[in-house]
Amino acid sequence: MIAQANGTISITGIGAYAPERVVTNDDLSELMDTSDEWIVERTGIRERRVAADDQALSDLALPAARAALEQAGTPGADVDLIIVATVTADMAFPSAAAILADELGADEAGAYDLSAGCTGFMYAVAQGYGMLAAGLARHALVVGGDVLSRILDWSDRRTAVLFGDGAGAVVLDRVSEGGFLGFELGADGSGGPQLYLPAGGSRAPASAETVAERKHFVQMNGREVFKFATRVLVSSAEKVLAECGKTVDDVDVYIPHQANIRIIDHAADKLGIPKEKIVVNVERYGNTSSGSIPLALADAQAEGRLQDGALVLMTGMGAGLTWGSGLIEWTANGRTP
Ligand code: ACO
């Protein structure tokens, strides 16, 4: 799906939350046969956050959501749509979004979770945009977050070193000018087996056997995912820019999914985006799946990089296999009443 956005709808609040516990590469090398040197060289990751035992996804989402709503000046009760992009909701049902709606006092909100792997946040932002543009919602809260530490095999060095926990949130509102210019979303289900969680769904329900076979943990073909990621980060960005009549040179801030610094560098080189325009925090958080782009957005804002009128390109990719980009002309003009 590729479309130009023609409503004046923007992000008016950003919030992020990462658990306090920091796990360094050296900590991991005590658990498995790996090293700080290997992880930094192959991924750029130096440390990641891991949720406390009593923290589920909604516990990470709540502080992020509260911060985003505060920045937007939107009381929880005014939110009429909540979308939580995640593959690690508190439980299969109820949705994390319904739990969040209750905690925020968003009694009038439609609330649901969305599953698109690490691309979830971009899908959810596009959906939120569409609901506002169609007049079906006025103030949307979009959360991206995951607690991947709960579905990682901590004895598998090929996956455990790559990921971390975290959540971010944005508020979408109508604004007087600027806002989203377009989106590009895609999915190639034939690549699903390259990155998946085999058991716990309706195809292979949880059983003593699935547990013994460690089928409740992330399985990944790293090399294939690497090739896929480098390809779609470039193609998705090029498509959304072309659709919106923009070029790479117009981009002021580039926020790619934070999976691996080599993937980011490769995409930026191919696209021709200079380093100073790229937001990178993978060294501190690892790959937080749906939390990745909103955590990076929050960092970009804290660093003063989201200036009025800046053209911001965001691209995610992940399980599905899926990908998605959004292009936004940043606006500091605030929401319209
Ligand atoms: N520590 C030490 N050695 C390791 C580790 C580790 N953590 N992991 C693998 N190795 C070893 C392998 O066993 C292999 O050893 P061998 O040559 O003796 O067999 C060697 O390192 C090289 O392994 P490769 O898999 O070929 O290493 P590669 O350079 O491909 O890097 C990596 C692996 C980092 C996983 C890379 O393929 C990658 O980044 N892939 C993309 C993964 C990703 O980003 N997934 C998520 C994206 S989508 C989403 O966000 C959900």
Side-chain angles (χ1 to χ4, degrees):
M1 187 217 77
I2 178 160
Q4 244 184 59
N6 47 20
T8 317
I9 291 162
S10 194
I11 292 173
T12 54
I14 304 173
Y17 175 80
E20 280 173 23
R21 184 173 162 209
V22 175
V23 174
T24 65
N25 294 343
D26 285 336
D27 294 333
L28 291 181
S29 66
E30 287 173 19
L31 291 178
M32 61 193 85
D33 182 16
T34 190
S35 65
D36 179 56
E37 191 188 2
W38 192 97
I39 300 170
V40 171
E41 190 189 311
R42 303 287 177 122
T43 72
I45 300 165
R46 293 183 183 276
E47 59 187 40
R48 70 287 293 142
R49 303 295 183 91
V50 172
D53 290 349
D54 62 352
Q55 282 181 313
L57 190 263
S58 68
D59 302 314
L60 273 54
L62 184 62
R66 286 206 166 116
L69 289 168
E70 191 183 334
Q71 195 175 95
T74 305
D78 285 2
V79 174
D80 50 14
L81 174 69
I82 299 180
I83 311 174
V84 176
T86 187
V87 294
T88 48
D90 299 29
M91 54 197 87
F93 58 87
S95 67
I99 295 169
L100 202 56
D102 181 48
E103 289 169 328
L104 294 170
D107 298 338
E108 305 292 326
Y112 61 95
D113 291 356
L114 179 157
S115 167
C118 302
T119 320
F121 179 75
M122 290 317 306
Y123 270 59
V125 168
Q127 283 205 357
Y129 171 89
M131 293 283 270
L132 261 74
L136 296 175
R138 289 169 59 84
H139 309 294
L141 175 70
V142 173
V143 177
D146 270 301
V147 194
L148 288 185
S149 62
R150 297 282 150 71
I151 56 167
L152 290 174
D153 182 345
W154 287 97
S155 66
D156 179 5
R157 68 179 185 174
R158 293 166 305 154
T159 51
V161 304
L162 303 175
F163 299 98
D165 300 334
V170 296
V171 176
L172 304 183
D173 278 308
R174 283 199 171 272
V175 291
S176 43
E177 56 183 302
F180 283 99
L181 303 181
F183 295 95
E184 197 270 333
L185 306 178
D188 174 9
S190 72
Q194 307 299 346
L195 178 55
Y196 76 130
L197 190 79
S202 55
R203 186 160 303 283
S207 67
E209 198 181 18
T210 60
V211 172
E213 290 171 354
R214 308 183 82 72
K215 287 186 171 169
H216 296 272
F217 296 124
V218 172
Q219 313 277 323
M220 184 181 69
N221 180 339
R223 284 191 178 184
E224 286 306 312
V225 173
F226 192 96
K227 280 191 250 169
F228 157 78
T230 46
R231 180 166 47 82
V232 297
L233 272 189
V234 175
S235 59
S236 182
E238 285 176 344
K239 283 182 195 165
V240 78
L241 286 166
E243 180 71 15
C244 298
K246 301 286 184 187
T247 69
V248 163
D249 292 340
D250 296 323
V251 174
D252 297 300
V253 182
Y254 174 46
I255 306 185
H257 174 47
Q258 308 285 310
N260 179 321
I261 194 66
R262 287 191 299 148
I263 295 174
I264 294 172
D265 284 348
H266 184 280
D269 279 355
K270 279 258 175 191
L271 286 165
I273 298 184
K275 279 213 162 27
E276 60 273 15
K277 291 186 176 179
I278 314 172
V279 180
V280 176
N281 63 16
V282 68
E283 71 282 0
R284 283 182 286 128
Y285 296 119
N287 178 349
T288 55
S289 187
S290 272
S292 164
I293 289 180
L295 278 167
L297 257 181
D299 276 359
Q301 188 179 53
E303 291 161 11
R305 298 171 71 173
L306 302 179
Q307 297 294 324
D308 197 29
L311 192 68
V312 180
L313 169 65
M314 301 175 271
T315 302
M317 81 286 169
L321 298 167
T322 55
W323 62 89
S325 290
L327 193 63
I328 182 169
E329 189 184 309
W330 206 261
T331 174
N333 289 332
R335 72 185 208 203
T336 52

